[in-house]
Amino acid sequence: MTPDESQTSVKTSQDTRAGRKAAKKASSDQNNLVSKDKAGAGVDRGFALLAKFAGIFILIILAFVAIFLTYNSFEAIYREDEGLVIGRFLSYAWPLIVGTLTVSIIALCISAPVAVGVALYISHYAPPRLSKSIGYVIDLLAAIPSVVYGAWGMVFLSGYLANFYVWVHEWFSWIPLFAGTPSATGRTVFTASVVLSVMILPIITSVAREIFIQTPKLHEEAALALGATRWEMIKMAVFPFARAGIISGIMLGLGRALGETMAVVMVLSAGSFTWSIISSGNNTIPAEIARNFGETGDGTERWHQLIAIGLVLFIITLIVNMVARWIVSRNKEFSGAN
Amino acid sequence: MKVSHFGRGAAILSVASLALVACNGEDNGNGGGDADEAAEAAGVEFEDVSGTIYSGGASSHETAMDEWIAEFEHLTDNQAQVEYAGEGSGAGRASFLDGEFQFAGSDAVMSDEEYEESLQRCGDNGAFHLPTYIAPIGLAVNLEGVDSINLDSDTLGEIFAGEITSWDDPAIAEQNEDADLPSTPITVVHRADSSGTTENFLEYLEATASNWDWEPDGEWPTDISAESAGQTSGVLDLAGSTDGAITYADLGQIGDEFALVNVEVGGEYTEPTPEAAAEAVLASERVEGQSENNMAFEITRDTEEVGAYPIVQIAYTIWCNEYESEEEADLVAAFAAYIVSEDAQELAHDQAGSAPITDDLRDEALEAISEISGG
Amino acid sequence: MTQSTKDKTPTASSVQGPAGPSTEVDPAQIIRPKSLTAGNRLPKWFMPAVLAGAAVLGAAISSAIGFTITLWLILTAILYVIGVYTITRIKVGPRKATDMLWRNLVYIAFVLALIPLVSVIYSVSVVGFQGLTNPGFLTSEFVDADGRRMRSSVDQGTEAGEHGVMGGIAHALVGSLAITLTATIISVPIGLLTSIYLVEYARGGPLSRGITFFVDVMTGIPSIVAGLFGAAAMVFFLGIGNSLGLPMPSQSRMGLTAAVALCVLMIPVVVRTTEEMLRVVPNELREASYALGVRKWRTILKVVIPTAISGIAAGVTLAVARVIGETAPILITAGMTEFINWNMVSGWMATLPVFIYEQFTRPTDPNFSDPSHQRAWGAALVLIMIVMTLNLIARLVAHFFAPKKTGR
C-alpha cells in the first residue's frame, strides 16, 4: 500500500467534494440519456450479475484448489497397505509447524515495534515535507522481490550475524534459545527471522500509518489543548483509535511471514528441530516444500506428505486471518472507519 | 516405422564397431566426427531432424546438459531445439510419464510402479534408462595446508555422524601418519534439499560403515545436526568459507582449494577420479525387470575391487521406446545418440568433471537408442 | 496528506511549549530561557550535545570491550536515549521526559528501518550495476556471441580473459512482462468485480460472507501449491479442448499456465485492497448520485470507481509487485529457457526471479560463479527498477484519472 492509498482515505472531505463533482458530471451525462435509457434496468441487472459471477468464480477456483489439496493430502495419513499413519505424519509435521511459527513470531517481534514506530514517525513526527517521500521509501522495501531479500540475507547478512551469534552465545547461553553451538555460517532461524522482519516491516508500516493518519483531528487537538505532550496525545487519542488497525496490519504481516518461501530457502541451514535460534537446524513449511518437491517422486508417501503439510500451512494462515478479522470486527465500534 | 526400426538396428551392427575403432585409434575433438558416427549408429542424421524437445528433471547434470544442448543445436543448424528444466528428478519423471517431457533426467532409477506407468506413455516396451552422466562424488575438506586425507568408511561414518569432532582425532591420525593435521573442529556440511548426491553418499555409508544405521534417502537424516545449504554450489560455498568443514559434492565442481578424501577400498586408499568411478560402475549389477534395452545400475557400494571408487552417482536420462510420430522419434534419438557419443562425453568430462562412459557401454547405449521408434 | 500536515502546526508548538505545571514559572523565562536550569524548557543545543556526549562515551566503552562500528552505534543510541531521558526528568519533569523518551524511540525506529533498505539497495547496486553495464545485458538473450545457449565453457572463457561477461536477460525480461501482464489482465477485472459485488451489492448474505472468508483463505495458499494447481488446471482444460476437437497447444507448460497460477495468488490481494478502497468512498456520494436518478451501475462506474481510483491503482500495483517476484510457481508452469518467447500459448518462458534464483543457486559455471552472480544481481536491480516504475505508473494513473480536486 502506498501513500496514494492513504491519500484517498485522508482527504475524505476533499474527496467528498471532488466526488460530488464527479457525481454531478455523471448525472448531467445521465440527464441527457435518461429518456433514452430504457435498457438501463437491464444493464443494471446485468452488471449486478457480472459482479456476482466474479465472486462465484473465485469461490469455484478456491473450491478446486481446496479439493486438489485435500484429495492429495489424504494419502499422507492413510496408506492403502498400512491403514492410518497419522502418527507418522504428525511426527514429520510438528517440527515444521513449530519452526514456521518460531521464525514468523520472532520476525514479528522484531518488526512490529519498529514498524509502528516508523508509522508514527511518518504520521506525527516527521517534517511535513519529508513524510510523503519517506512513505515512498518505505514502500520501496515492499516492492523488492523476495528472491533479492534471500540473496541479500545469504550473501551479506548471514556472515555479519555469525559474529554476533558467537557473542550472544558467550553471554547468554544459559537461555535455551541461545544454547547450542553458534552457527559458523550464520544461516540460522534468527537470520531468517531478521530477513522476514525486513520483508514484513513495510506491510505493517503502511497499514498502521494509514490508520494513524485517519485519527480524528478533533481528538488530537482536544488532547493537545488540554496540555498533553505529544506522546500523551498519541497514547490517549491515536492508539485507542488505531488499535484494531495495528493488529490487523500485524496479522497481515504474519500471514506474509508464514508463507514466505524463497527468502527462507536461501538463508536457512535447514535441519532437525532445535530450540536454539543461533545454531543451524529447523525448517519452515514453505521452504520444506520448495526444497524437496522437485526431487520427490509423484505419488509416493513423501509427495503426499509435502502436499499435506501445504494444507497445514493453508489452515494456519486461515486461522491467523480469521483472528485478525475477528479482532477488527470486535473493535469496529471504537474506530472511526465507518 | 518398423522399417526404420530394423534399419537402425542393422546400422548399429556395422557402424558401432567402426566408431569403436575410430575412437580407439584417433585422439578426439576432431570436429564432431564421433558424434556423427554415433548418430549414424543410431540410424539418424543431425541434418535431418528438426523441432523442439521438452525435457527436465535432475539438476545434477545440468552443467553438462547445457553444453550438450548448445552443441547439439549447433550440429543440427539450429533446426532442433532442446529445453531442459532442472526442477528435480521426481518432478522430471512425473512430467515425463505425463507425456509433458520427451525425456527426463533422473538421479534415481524409476520404481517398478513408474515403469508400469511408462507402458502407457511409451508403448509396449515402456521407457528405458541411459547412464549418460557418471559422476564421482568427492569428499571435500577445507583444511589449510592439507592436500588429501586417507579415510576408511568407518571413520567417515563417525565423522558424518558427528562422533569424531576434531581433525586431530587418533582415528584420523593413524590413517594419515605423514600429514600434520590441526586440531580444528570438524564442521559437517550437507545438502539441505533432497538430492541424489545425498542418497548415493548415504547408500555408500550404509553399505560400508559399520556404525552407520540411518536409512539412505534423498534427504540427510534429520536427527544428525549439522550445517546445510541448498544445491551443490551452496554446500561448496559454505564449506569453502568455514575452516575445518567437510562436505560431499559432485567431484567436477569441487575446486582446488579443497583437500579430497581418498577412500579405503579393498585395502588401498583410492583417489576419487572419473576413471575410478567408471571402474565402480563396471563392477556393479544391473537393475532387472524393466524393459529389455534398459541400462540401469545397482551400484555395488561395498566392492573390494582395488582401483574402484564406489561413491559414485549416475544421472540417467530416461527415454521412451516409442514416440508418437516418426519425426519426434528421430529428433529424440538424435539427441540421445549425441549425448552418449564420445564427443559429448568428453565435453562433459572437461566441463563438469564427469567420467566418460566406456566404449562397451556406449555401444550398448547406441543399440538401445536404435530401438526408439515412432508411431 | 496536506490536511494532516496542516493540523500538525499546533502539535509542534506544544512540544516546545510548557508541558509541566506552567503557572509556577515566570513567563519571562518561557519566552527567553537563560540557561538549562532556567525553566522547564531545554535549550536548542541540548539534544545535539547529549548525542555528542553519548557518541564519545559509546566510543570509550566499545573500545574497552572491542571496538566495532555496530557496537559503537548501538551504545551511542542507548546512551543518548537514557541521557536525554534522565536529564529531562531532572531538569523539567517526568511527563516531558517520557515524551522525549518516546520521541527518541520513534526516531530510532525510523533509522533502524532505513538500515536494511540502504543495505539491500547498496548490495544490489554494487554488483548489480557491474552486471547491468555488461554489453548487451538488457538487449541480448541468454546466449554467447554466436547466439548459442550460455553454458559453463562460455564463462570459462570469461575467466580466462578471452571476453567479458556474456549473456543478457532480455529473455527473462520479456517473459516476466508477458506473464505478469497476462495475469494482471485476468485478475484485475475478476478481483475488482468481486469487490464491487462485496461492497455495492452484497448485503451480508451467505454468499458475500463466503467470498470474504475464502478470499482470506486464498491469501494463505503456498505459492508452490498455486503453481501445481495452475499446471493441473491447464492439463484439465487442454484435455477438454482436445476431446472437443479444438486446436489446443501440445504442451501445458507455457506462459499462460504460469499466468493462471499467478492469478490464484493475485486475485485475493486485488480483492482485499480494492474492497478496502471502495468501502472508504463516502456513502453520501452514492446517495447524491441515486438522488439524481443515476442508475446503480453508472454510479459505480462514474462515481465510486473514479473516487477510489488512486487506491485501486495502488492496490493493483501492490498485487503486481507481489507476483512479479514469484519463483516457485513459474518454474513448474512455464519452464525455463534461454531465448526470447513472446508466445503465451506455445513454448517455455523465462522470468527474472527464476533467472535470478537459478543463477544464484546453480551458477552457469559451478567453478567460477562470478559472472553468474553479476548477472543475478544485475537482474535483481532491473527487477527492482521495474517494480518501482510500476509504482510510479500507478501514481500517474491515479493522478490523471482521479476526479480533479477543488479548493487546492
Side-chain angles (χ1 to χ4, degrees):
Chain A
M1 304 191 194
T2 71
D4 296 288
E5 224 167 276
S6 49
Q7 246 174 337
T8 4
S9 33
V10 184
K11 283 178 279 172
T12 317
S13 65
Q14 285 182 359
D15 277 347
T16 315
R17 220 181 298 137
R20 256 181 219 135
K21 233 188 154 192
K24 226 182 274 170
K25 189 165 166 289
S27 69
S28 67
D29 291 351
Q30 188 68 18
N31 279 342
N32 304 334
L33 292 170
V34 100
S35 50
K36 302 171 208 158
D37 188 25
K38 293 261 162 59
V43 177
D44 227 7
R45 214 172 301 131
F47 191 75
L49 271 179
L50 193 64
K52 198 170 184 173
F53 276 136
I56 293 172
F57 184 69
I58 290 185
L59 285 187
I60 292 173
I61 297 181
L62 200 91
F64 273 119
V65 176
I67 291 169
F68 176 81
L69 273 178
T70 323
Y71 174 77
N72 284 314
S73 302
F74 183 64
E75 279 186 54
I77 53 169
Y78 180 85
R79 306 292 299 171
E80 233 165 66
D81 40 347
E82 297 171 75
L84 281 179
V85 285
I86 296 178
R88 200 156 67 205
F89 177 69
L90 286 183
S91 68
Y92 162 73
W94 78 263
L96 293 171
I97 297 171
V98 176
T100 311
L101 291 176
T102 317
V103 172
S104 308
I105 288 168
I106 295 174
L108 263 196
C109 292
I110 300 171
S111 190
V114 178
V116 173
V118 174
L120 265 186
Y121 179 80
I122 294 173
S123 64
H124 286 86
Y125 282 90
R129 278 164 201 280
L130 269 181
S131 68
K132 197 172 178 182
S133 44
I134 293 170
Y136 183 69
V137 168
I138 296 293
D139 286 334
L140 203 67
L141 274 172
I144 298 175
S146 57
V147 186
V148 178
Y149 279 116
W152 171 72
M154 187 171 100
V155 178
F156 286 85
L157 186 69
S158 56
Y160 203 76
L161 283 177
N163 304 327
F164 170 70
Y165 295 148
V166 175
W167 180 82
V168 169
H169 179 69
E170 216 169 279
W171 292 86
F172 298 103
S173 56
W174 45 274
I175 305 174
L177 287 181
F178 303 121
T181 336
S183 159
T185 59
R187 298 191 185 189
T188 68
V189 165
F190 189 76
T191 311
S193 304
V194 172
V195 173
L196 286 189
S197 71
V198 175
M199 294 178 69
I200 61 177
L201 179 100
I203 298 174
I204 305 178
T205 301
S206 59
V207 176
R209 178 190 60 193
E210 208 176 309
I211 303 289
F212 288 159
I213 290 176
Q214 282 181 37
T215 313
K217 291 300 150 204
L218 277 175
H219 294 193
E220 293 183 4
E221 281 162 14
L224 292 171
L226 289 171
T229 61
R230 194 181 327 200
W231 170 248
E232 284 163 344
M233 179 271 283
I234 289 169
K235 214 169 61 178
M236 291 185 301
V238 179
F239 279 169
F241 174 82
R243 191 177 298 129
I246 296 175
I247 291 171
S248 84
I250 289 177
M251 289 296 179
L252 207 64
L254 182 59
R256 176 76 194 270
L258 287 171
E260 180 47 45
T261 312
M262 280 307 157
V264 180
V265 166
M266 292 169 95
V267 162
L268 179 64
S269 253
S272 56
F273 177 77
T274 151
W275 279 114
S276 166
I277 58 170
I278 59 163
S279 42
S280 60
N282 286 354
N283 203 354
T284 71
I285 294 172
E288 164 83 6
I289 299 174
R291 273 197 177 117
N292 298 316
F293 202 84
E295 286 295 327
T296 310
D298 219 351
T300 56
E301 180 179 356
R302 188 84 183 77
W303 190 87
H304 289 295
Q305 279 180 342
L306 287 173
I307 297 272
I309 198 82
L311 185 64
V312 171
L313 177 65
F314 199 79
I315 294 167
I316 294 176
T317 322
L318 177 61
I319 293 171
V320 168
N321 274 316
M322 278 165 63
V323 170
R325 286 263 172 194
W326 178 70
I327 291 173
V328 172
S329 69
R330 206 184 53 145
N331 283 300
K332 218 171 214 164
E333 53 267 37
F334 303 119
S335 81
N338 306 355
Chain B
M1 74 210 75
K2 280 290 167 199
V3 177
S4 85
H5 175 121
F6 284 120
R8 279 193 209 131
I12 182 170
L13 293 177
S14 56
V15 187
S17 44
L18 255 175
L20 219 165
V21 173
C23 295
N24 288 342
E26 306 266 328
D27 60 318
N28 39 51
N30 46 2
D34 295 322
D36 283 335
E37 278 159 21
E40 207 175 321
V44 286
E45 275 188 44
F46 293 129
E47 289 77 25
D48 292 347
V49 296
S50 64
T52 308
I53 299 178
Y54 293 103
S55 61
S59 57
S60 52
H61 58 184
E62 229 185 352
T63 308
M65 195 56 87
D66 286 348
E67 298 283 344
W68 290 336
I69 290 171
E71 191 61 35
F72 175 72
E73 288 176 349
H74 183 63
L75 281 173
T76 63
D77 264 345
N78 293 327
Q79 292 304 303
Q81 291 204 335
V82 184
E83 302 282 10
Y84 186 87
E87 56 189 26
S89 304
R93 289 198 305 273
S95 293
F96 171 70
L97 294 173
D98 287 346
E100 191 83 354
F101 289 164
Q102 270 98 329
F103 74 89
S106 176
D107 292 335
V109 177
M110 281 192 293
S111 64
D112 288 341
E113 291 83 32
E114 283 172 320
Y115 177 68
E116 290 298 315
E117 246 182 275
S118 81
L119 294 179
Q120 279 155 26
R121 154 104 175 81
C122 299
D124 297 341
N125 288 325
F128 64 97
H129 300 78
L130 289 181
T132 37
Y133 182 85
I134 299 171
I137 296 170
L139 301 169
V141 176
N142 180 6
L143 270 185
E144 200 145 317
V146 180
D147 291 334
S148 68
I149 297 176
N150 295 337
L151 293 174
D152 58 26
S153 53
D154 284 354
T155 320
L156 271 177
E158 282 173 46
I159 289 176
F160 277 92
E163 285 155 21
I164 296 179
T165 56
S166 156
W167 283 110
D168 59 356
D169 192 279
I172 302 176
E174 72 182 24
Q175 297 179 59
N176 296 277
E177 281 165 355
D178 304 335
D180 184 24
L181 293 169
S183 62
T184 320
I186 298 177
T187 307
V188 171
V189 178
H190 64 84
R191 285 283 287 267
D193 49 337
S194 186
S195 99
T197 318
T198 305
E199 185 161 9
N200 279 283
F201 179 55
L202 293 183
E203 271 176 17
Y204 165 77
L205 286 181
E206 202 241 0
T208 58
S210 53
N211 57 338
W212 189 268
D213 30 70
W214 287 275
E215 283 294 310
D217 185 30
E219 281 163 71
W220 194 253
T222 48
D223 45 345
I224 306 178
S225 183
E227 293 289 335
S228 70
Q231 308 289 354
T232 303
S233 61
V235 287
L236 287 176
D237 277 353
L238 196 54
S241 59
T242 314
D243 206 24
I246 182 167
T247 191
Y248 55 92
D250 198 345
L251 181 68
Q253 301 195 16
I254 299 176
D256 297 336
E257 69 270 29
F258 291 102
L260 287 172
V261 173
N262 301 334
V263 178
E264 187 265 341
V265 178
E268 304 251 336
Y269 290 99
T270 312
E271 202 182 325
T273 58
E275 294 74 32
E279 285 294 318
V281 172
L282 283 183
S284 299
E285 287 164 23
R286 296 300 183 92
V287 173
E288 300 294 336
Q290 297 190 1
S291 72
E292 276 169 28
N293 53 354
N294 191 30
M295 290 179 72
F297 291 88
E298 184 83 56
I299 296 167
T300 317
R301 305 287 177 186
D302 50 358
T303 178
E304 288 296 313
E305 185 140 334
V306 175
Y309 182 80
I311 318 178
V312 56
Q313 174 183 9
I314 301 177
Y316 297 97
T317 40
I318 305 177
W319 311 79
C320 271
N321 268 317
E322 191 179 317
Y323 286 91
E324 269 178 22
S325 70
E326 197 63 47
E327 292 78 42
E328 192 183 0
D330 281 349
L331 174 64
V332 169
F335 186 63
Y338 170 69
I339 64 175
V340 297
S341 75
E342 181 154 2
D343 279 357
Q345 289 293 316
E346 282 299 326
L347 193 61
H349 174 66
D350 293 343
Q351 299 299 333
S354 66
I357 58 173
T358 57
D359 292 333
D360 293 344
L361 279 182
R362 183 183 356 271
D363 289 346
E364 195 186 334
L366 286 171
E367 192 170 346
I369 293 165
S370 69
E371 305 274 319
I372 295 177
S373 66
Chain C
M1 207 62 69
T2 349
Q3 199 188 22
S4 66
T5 49
K6 220 187 303 165
D7 292 333
K8 257 185 216 146
T9 333
T11 339
S13 63
S14 75
V15 170
Q16 296 299 318
S22 53
T23 43
E24 294 164 21
V25 184
D26 179 6
Q29 281 176 342
I30 298 174
I31 298 160
R32 190 163 35 80
K34 288 190 187 85
S35 71
L36 201 60
T37 51
N40 61 357
R41 298 176 74 182
L42 294 164
K44 275 210 155 120
W45 49 263
F46 164 66
M47 304 242 287
V50 176
L51 184 58
V56 173
L57 201 58
I61 297 177
S62 60
S63 61
I65 306 176
F67 184 85
T68 59
I69 299 276
T70 324
L71 187 62
W72 174 58
L73 289 177
I74 292 171
L75 279 174
T76 306
I78 294 172
L79 288 172
Y80 169 69
V81 171
I82 294 174
V84 169
Y85 178 75
T86 326
I87 295 172
T88 321
R89 193 179 170 100
I90 294 167
K91 297 295 178 195
V92 185
R95 285 180 58 210
K96 179 74 181 165
T98 316
D99 185 46
M100 292 295 253
L101 174 70
W102 284 102
R103 178 176 165 176
N104 283 327
L105 287 180
V106 165
Y107 281 13
I108 287 174
F110 174 66
V111 175
L112 265 183
L114 281 186
I115 292 173
L117 178 68
V118 172
S119 171
V120 171
I121 300 273
Y122 173 79
S123 49
V124 172
S125 316
V126 164
V127 194
F129 197 70
Q130 213 181 340
L132 201 59
T133 49
N134 286 327
F137 185 69
L138 288 175
T139 50
S140 102
E141 301 171 307
F142 199 50
V143 293
D144 64 5
D146 303 330
R148 289 160 67 181
R149 288 177 204 253
M150 280 295 289
R151 54 208 185 276
S152 61
S153 49
V154 180
D155 276 356
Q156 280 164 18
T158 305
E159 189 179 14
E162 289 163 17
H163 46 74
V165 176
M166 311 290 293
I169 56 164
H171 64 305
L173 212 53
V174 166
S176 268
L177 291 180
I179 289 176
T180 314
L181 195 68
T182 314
T184 312
I185 290 171
I186 302 174
S187 307
V188 170
I190 295 177
L192 191 57
L193 278 172
T194 304
S195 51
I196 286 174
Y197 173 75
L198 289 177
V199 176
E200 306 290 335
Y201 289 102
R203 294 186 187 79
L207 180 62
S208 74
R209 266 181 289 141
I211 293 173
T212 317
F213 179 79
F214 282 115
V215 163
D216 281 354
V217 177
M218 262 175 103
T219 56
I221 296 177
S223 56
I224 183 102
V225 172
L228 290 174
F229 171 74
M234 191 52 75
V235 169
F236 180 71
F237 281 120
L238 291 185
I240 289 181
N242 279 329
S243 62
L244 293 177
L246 299 170
M248 283 283 155
S250 56
Q251 273 264 319
S252 74
R253 228 174 258 241
M254 54 190 176
L256 187 63
T257 316
V260 168
L262 289 188
C263 284
V264 176
L265 298 169
M266 201 169 172
I267 289 175
V269 185
V270 175
V271 174
R272 276 190 119 176
T273 48
T274 55
E275 185 195 344
E276 213 59 45
M277 291 306 121
L278 291 179
R279 276 197 202 285
V280 297
V281 173
N283 246 336
E284 293 93 330
L285 291 184
R286 297 186 184 95
E287 283 155 11
S289 179
Y290 297 151
L292 290 166
V294 182
R295 290 215 178 270
K296 192 165 188 175
W297 68 277
R298 249 184 123 76
T299 305
I300 293 168
L301 289 186
K302 296 274 178 174
V303 178
V304 178
I305 291 184
T307 311
I309 189 76
S310 74
I312 293 172
V316 170
T317 322
L318 192 77
V320 171
R322 165 88 173 74
V323 298
I324 203 173
E326 275 299 343
T327 311
I330 304 282
L331 194 61
I332 54 173
T333 49
M336 179 68 193
T337 183
E338 280 83 21
F339 297 123
I340 289 180
N341 175 17
W342 279 104
N343 193 339
M344 289 295 293
V345 291
S346 163
W348 290 6
M349 272 187 175
T351 67
L352 283 170
V354 175
F355 178 77
I356 296 170
Y357 180 71
E358 294 250 308
Q359 287 288 300
F360 263 119
T361 52
R362 281 200 295 272
T364 310
D365 181 5
N367 293 320
F368 180 61
S369 54
D370 283 9
S372 286
H373 280 197
Q374 267 190 33
R375 289 187 290 255
W377 285 118
L381 193 57
V382 172
L383 188 52
I384 292 178
M385 288 197 293
I386 290 177
V387 178
M388 276 168 64
T389 317
L390 284 177
N391 207 328
L392 217 66
I393 292 173
R395 272 151 205 271
L396 288 178
V397 166
H399 180 77
F400 285 115
F401 286 83
K404 295 287 165 286
K405 306 278 192 271
T406 51
R408 254 210 170 157

